Every structure is written in C-alpha cells, then in structure tokens.
Amino acid sequence: MILTGKSNIAGVMGWPVGHSRSPRLHGYWIEEHGIDGAYIPLPVSPERFEQALAGLQAAGFRGVNVTVPHKERAFSACDTLDDDARRIGAVNTITFEPEGAIRGSNTDAFGFMENIKQTVAWPGGAAVVLGAGGAARAICVALIGAGATEIRLINRTRARAESLAGDFGTIISVYDWKNRFDAQSEASLLVNSTSLGMTGQPPLDIGLEALPTSAIVNDIVYAPLQTPLLAQARARGNIVVDGLGMLLHQARPGFETWFGVAPEVSPALRTFVLES
Ligand code: ATR
C-alpha cells in the first residue's frame, strides 16, 4: 500500500511491542477493505509515554491502541473517558478528536463479551473468575453489564482480588485460591484470566467436578488456542470458548473510529492472526 497525504494512520504503543498481534490484525482489515491507511507498531518506553502521545497527535495520527505497560498511564493522559474505561480504570483505545481532545476508551469488556456471544448466549447468573489483574477487571465489567447475579473472584494473591472487589461492591465475592474447586457450584460461566496455561507457563491446576456441565468455560489465554483448561472442560461436555476472539473483537471499535469501516472477525482472520 502506497500511503498518501490523506492516509489515516493509527498504531499500537507498547514496551516492548514486538509481541503484539495488533499490527497484523489491523493490517489484515486495512488490506481487506482497500483502505488508504496504516497501523504501526510503536515501541514507547514508560517515561516517554506522554511525549509520544503528544507527538502522535501532532503528527496527525487518528488514534492508537495502548498495551502493557501503558494502560493505566493512558487513563490519566486522556481528556475524556468512556464509561468502561472509567469502570476498568484503564484505557486501551485512544482517539485524537478533530477539535484536539484526547478520548480514551476501553474495549476489553466489549471484546470479552462479543467473543462469548459468537459461540453461545450467556444467560447470566453466577460466574467464576480466576485472576485479578487488568483482564479480570475488564471481565467483571462485562459480566456485570451482561446480567451476572454474582461473581466469585479467585486469585492467588487474595489482597488483589479484595481490592478489585472493593471497587465493584457486593456483586463480587472473594474466594481463596485453595478453594477454587468449591467455588464452582451452580455457576453458569467460568473464566480463566490468569496467565496459567499459556505456552511456557504451568497449566491451571483446577478440577471441574463441581461445575455444572451446562456452564460455559472460557480461557483468555490464546497461545495455545486449546489450553489444558479448555481440553478438560470440553471432555466433560461444557461449552468452551477460546481466548483469541477477545483479542480480535476488542480491536473492532478502534478500527471503525479511525478507518471508517466496521470490520468483521472471520475464520480467515483468526487463521491469519494465529500464523504470526
Ligand atoms: P493481566 O493484566 O493480563 O490480567 P496481570 O495483571 O499480570 O495480567 O495478572 C496476571 C494474573 O495471573 C494475576 O491474577 C496473577 O495472580 P497474582 O495476582 O497472585 O500475581 C495470575 N497468576 C500468574 N501466575 C500465576 C500462578 N503461577 N499461579 C496463580 N496465579 C497466577
């Protein structure tokens, strides 16, 4: 693609950024739709985040995604924030408005729930969430928005789960990591938001005997696509949803805003992103 003076330019800021699949993902959609534009990986160190943001705005970028370790810093740097960014306390999508404002949004909760919806309609009810990092926070926002009556939050470091629960009120109850087996009774959804099960990490050590076979099991880990958790859940008859779709769907709102086309998550896109 030869860029023109009218090209729409966006990118992803991370440190490091080399592992990010976002350039491949957005690049696919740019090609698919024949868009005059580009999406660029931007290695930005934490100390230079604000300087880089101002520079990109001055250079006429339409916006940027932000990934680790910048999501909280981006939250503080934006002039306006959408409701999910405020609830999650982090920003993953920034748009430079024509009038000069820097708008921050968080599309992780949207991406999480869209991914589940592509496979199955979650009826609400009690959900079990493993992990209490940034991803867990976005997942709690999504679950509350989609009709959770109770979220059982389980994290190795209990204090971190308590801090998250404190921000959301009584809908979240905190369980000890050692009680992760017992917390599953009558749950309609179980999500792993820890890094356990990822290539190079130990598997998530969890028995699913107490989980109803009607429950949905989702892992946000997508490398490998079929984690030990998902294999175990599938074998006992649960509906399983892998983690790749969350990454793909969270990218849709930013792409539409910056490039003016609503993109689709297709099987071909999944294959293309996994090939990287
Ligand atoms: P993210 O923003 O992607 O959620 P994170 O903030 O680094 O990433 O959170 C990683 C999650 O994986 C945390 O819940 C972490 O538990 P702690 O809060 O106790 O650190 C969890 N995790 C990572 N390694 C783990 C392990 N070996 N056993 C249990 N939990 C683990």
Side-chain angles (χ1 to χ4, degrees), residues 130-136 155-157 160 177 193-196 201-202 220:
L130 295 145
N155 195 47
R156 175 181 59 180
T157 311
R160 212 170 168 205
W177 184 251
S193 81
T194 74
S195 45
L196 294 170
Q201 298 278 328
I220 68 157

Side-chain angles (χ1 to χ4, degrees), residues 22 33 35-36 60 65-66 120 123 126 136 138 150 203 205 215 221 244 254 258:
S22 293
H33 296 285
I35 287 168
D36 177 12
N65 284 124
V66 292
V120 58
E150 182 192 353
D205 167 26
V221 169
L244 182 62
W258 306 323

